[in-house]
Amino acid sequence: MSKLTTLTEAIRENVHDGDSVYITGFTHLIGFSAGHEIIRQKKKDLNLIRMTPDVIYDQMIAAGVAAKLTFSYSGNPGVGSLRCIRRAIEKREPLPIEVEEYTHGSLISALFAGASRLPFYPVPAVDSTDLRKYNSQYRVVRNPYSGKNTTVVGPLNPDVGIIHVQRADQNGNAQMWGIIGEQKEVAFASSRVIVSAEEIIDHDLVFDDPNRTIVPGIIVSAVVQEPYASHPSYAQGYYDRDNRFYREWNEISKSESEVKKYLEEWVYSVSDRAEYVSKLPSELIRSLSMTGMVRGNVNFGGTGS
Amino acid sequence: MKNLTPREIMAIMAARELRGYRTVLVGVGLPNLSANLAKKIYNPDMVLLYESGVINTHPTRLPLSIGDPTLTERTDAIFSVFDMFAFMISGNRVDVGFLGAAQVDVSGNINTTVIGSYKNPDVRLPGSGGACEISYSAAVSIVMTELSESKFRTAVDFITSTARHGQMAENVKERGVLKLITDLGIVEFGASGSTRVGCIYDISGLGRLRDVFNRLGLALDDDVSVAESIEDDEILALRQLDPDHLYIN
């Protein structure tokens, strides 16, 4: 059964005020367009979860959609700070924000536990850190085998997981390659899953290459065709990371009024991703296009009959 | 030293320090530049690992972030984040954790979380990322930071990670060692709690180094060795790697 819809509809039906929302992508395939749509629909009081909030959560927090941020590395990778998030934490501007902070290893373990419906997961590296004192999801238990105490982390189950991939079929079988991040753990940990894809492919192509499927359609709620959804992040084989924008955001985000101007021009006053893409300079799109490098072939054999 | 900036000196000295190690997990910022320099001119067989899941990558350009697409173009494997942390990091397959820090203290604790108090921070820093697990599991931690009063201290404001554990990793004799690559020289913390100066870059910095050690109540050895002076080909290789001065500014 086709689950194809538009991103506007998918967000309207699956993301509600007060929800915990995880937009995936570990540097690669970050769902910027879903973040922008959530801003446009003026959602409120969300708990935004991401290992690396990145520029997209910086924008969403500046836009006031979140009451809480759950994360493990709040930096602009390779550039420096996420300034809107810093303003929210340091100066409570434009709104105060509650923080639930992890380390990468323990946050991905919490998602793994959530996805596997396990009660907790051991995270011994967290034992000697100060973070343990500030996040009640960390508890200490006695290891029944060694008798020694160890820190564990509780499961994390977002209400909504949003996954952007290179290609998916209309049932939601989502295929990706390159850096495969935390997408699978988030999809299985979440109550509802939205898949968006650079391309919608025939189901036959999924049968041809099933190892590429990171999220099976059987757990997916909605499927969206959304080319260029990750810009300024990237999609391996489709478009490169716009490092220039990541540096530019560092300047824009120094002032709240510049951030407002940016959101007005690139989020509120465009209706969807297609319109956003049409506003990007064609020279930029040319410079980010990735040269064709189709590689690899495997023989699946076949049992025939 | 031939118009070198302090960051350039640190990048070269840190890269030299990676000679002799096999698997190196590379953090964001200056370590990223320095590790790529090391692979280019000192240790071509070194295995570069990034927490984004790439294993033994051979990037064709300097990656801006730890998830840059150039890291996936020529690499032995790409793991999910869970697999990377579970099997490679927690599984003790990392010889060196190579990271940056905002503050380091005399006990080998590292802070990348907050300056000031956690609840009301003066400066909110990015946080752990993978640093906590990497420092915990890697045999040796190499950390880049300056020796200023605000950065090298008796106690850090917040313990994000600690290099005191140093688990077993193959082919590495030292365990639980923290090497601090600073703007003046290299300071080494032994697993037993000892502190010594590995080397000083320039003998003219000895006075400043002595001041730092006095301030923190650390004993400075009488015979501090001086690093070999930096050669032109090292500077050239560094500047070729970062022509746009993304890291060296």
Side-chain angles (χ1 to χ4, degrees), chain B residues 174-192:
Chain B
E174 315 126 285
R175 302 196 210 296
V177 172
L178 168 62
K179 296 186 184 186
L180 214 56
I181 314 295
T182 77
D183 45 334
L184 290 179
I186 298 176
V187 181
E188 296 182 5
F189 299 79
S192 58

Side-chain angles (χ1 to χ4, degrees), chain A residues 247-264:
Chain A
R247 288 195 292 273
E248 202 176 302
W249 181 254
N250 190 44
E251 299 305 315
I252 294 169
S253 59
K254 282 175 180 166
S255 116
E256 258 181 83
S257 64
E258 288 301 306
V259 169
K260 275 201 184 116
K261 254 193 258 170
Y262 175 86
L263 291 175
E264 192 50 48

Side-chain angles (χ1 to χ4, degrees), chain B residues 192-213:
Chain B
S192 58
S194 61
T195 311
R196 63 179 286 271
V197 174
C199 71
I200 188 165
Y201 308 147
D202 190 319
I203 200 68
S204 66
L206 190 60
R208 268 188 66 206
L209 189 67
R210 184 168 287 124
D211 290 345
V212 171
F213 270 57

Side-chain angles (χ1 to χ4, degrees), chain A residues 72 74 90 101 103 130 234 236, chain B residues 67 72 118 124 126 129 133 159:
Chain A
S72 48
S74 182
E90 293 169 8
E101 182 169 3
T103 65
D130 283 335
Y234 71 104
Q236 188 90 45
Chain B
T72 60
Y118 186 75
R124 178 61 233 202
E133 285 83 14
I159 300 175

